[in-house]
Amino acid sequence: MSSSPSSSSSPPPTSGDSPPSNLPLKKIPGDYGLPFLGPIRDRYDYFYNQGKDEFFQSRIKKYNSTIFRTNMPPGPFNARNPKVIAVLDAVSFPVLFDTTKVEKKNVLDGTFFPSTAFTGGHRVCAYLDPSEPNHAVFKGWFLSLLAARHNKFIPLFQNSLSHLFANVEAELSKNGKADFNMLSDDTSFSFMFTLFCDRSPSDTKIGSDGSNLFTQWLFFQLAPLITLGLKYLPNFLEDFSLHTFPLPFFPVKSAYKRLYDGFYISTSKILEEAEKLGIQRDEACHNLVFMAGFNAYGGMKTLFPALIKWVATAGKSLHRRLANEIRTVVESSEGGVTFSALDKMSLLKSVVYEAMRIEPPVPFQYGKAKVDMVVHSHDAAYEIKKGEMIFGYQPFATKDGRVFENPEEFVGDRFVGDGEKLLKYVYWSNGRETDEPTAENKQCPAKDVVVLLARVLLVEFFLRYDTLAAEVGTLLLGSSVTITSLTKAESTG
């Protein structure tokens, strides 16, 4: 259903990926239903009746539009206002990166905002809009912390991966299979903690419980966005328990205190740097724990299993090509696995980007319109009013069939050669892959580190093994991977 353009003397600004200027201006389709009942209906469709992908796909088909109005969970009583405008194509999605047009205040988790009790009473950087004074201070601090540890990334992660693969082999030998997620979680936490704290978590009061402590803490914050998928638990009971009211902080208070104390005691020099920037020591530590736990550990918790899943299921042909490229480059490289060596591995880089495209570690993006604007899809233009919430489901934007050929298929060499031009449509980091994080934007400060670690994971894997087989499934917020066999490279015995 179309409508006429705004009659104001100057039209609202446009946003999108340079679409044709002559697209028709249409009314945004969709509705929110009856107060209270509409959001409950959409929540049941999203979690139980349809599931995430079908929830969005059915509405795209119903409205013949990738931009439409709907309610997003959790709704009553977790979220005061569940109404959103969904943007589900590669052209409209980038409006969510433009902080001159959208506000990112308290929207990290969507239409609800977890209690600040989970972060020591502070609104940490991830919940701040760049217009807020503290945002640039904290983001700049994060970027400087990462830059100072630049030379540690590869050797420290290689050491962590040696332990990971040894544990995988031990589990395979003992049980005939290995739970990659559990072992990867432990490795990710240990690496991340050691990177910032210069000591192993086992040398602190955290001990060997770090990944479990963070997982508990994450669950209580993100419960409104998940379903347990338990067949014996009636839907209405789970919905009431997880989605209707915020889960309290007190069950994970002791877990968080162990994490906080472990970081606080181990990062005195880092916290001193924060104090020089005018950040109070306590607030700095809560921000560091959030970045390390929610952003870094939470991201690796979903990314690494997804990466192994897609590589495992891609088959032996891709495995042979990856192994050949990796071993050839490493053998001819002075210093072995280095930044420059990794940069020469074009297939490896493409495989990592393809995994991030097809299964982004963070599937959702939100932003509240700061101004009246016009957003484009491939086929039409739609006016969004100031104050309306915009929502993007990233897997639909990064699997846009108008941009990517065979978008649902994992194509390992998709981004090789001319395919590199498509990297601007890979959005996993709250920005384009071709953009860089700054203190003034909301792109992941560790964007380049995450890509690096994913590459090193595959390099170290294929230096040891020729191929693998795995059983894959789904977990609360990502993929599950159980490795069932590994074939060692001949040179490794």
Side-chain angles (χ1 to χ4, degrees), residues 48 228-239 241-242:
Y48 309 114
L228 300 176
L230 301 176
K231 295 180 180 180
Y232 59 81
L233 183 66
N235 291 341
F236 75 91
L237 286 180
E238 182 193 87
D239 188 64
S241 301
L242 295 185

Side-chain angles (χ1 to χ4, degrees), residues 35-63:
F36 188 79
L37 296 178
I40 297 294
R41 176 203 64 194
D42 285 345
R43 188 167 80 197
Y44 268 76
D45 281 349
Y46 180 88
F47 285 118
Y48 309 114
N49 301 332
Q50 296 177 309
K52 286 196 295 287
D53 285 9
E54 179 58 28
F55 177 87
F56 298 117
Q57 194 61 57
S58 65
R59 284 154 179 77
I60 290 174
K61 184 176 180 180
K62 177 180 179 180
Y63 303 126

Side-chain angles (χ1 to χ4, degrees), residues 6 27-28 67 108 177 216 252 288 343 379 386 404:
S6 170
K27 179 181 177 181
I28 299 174
I67 297 178
L108 176 69
K177 58 184 179 179
Q216 294 172 38
V252 293
L288 183 61
D343 200 47
D379 303 310
K386 178 180 178 180
F404 294 104

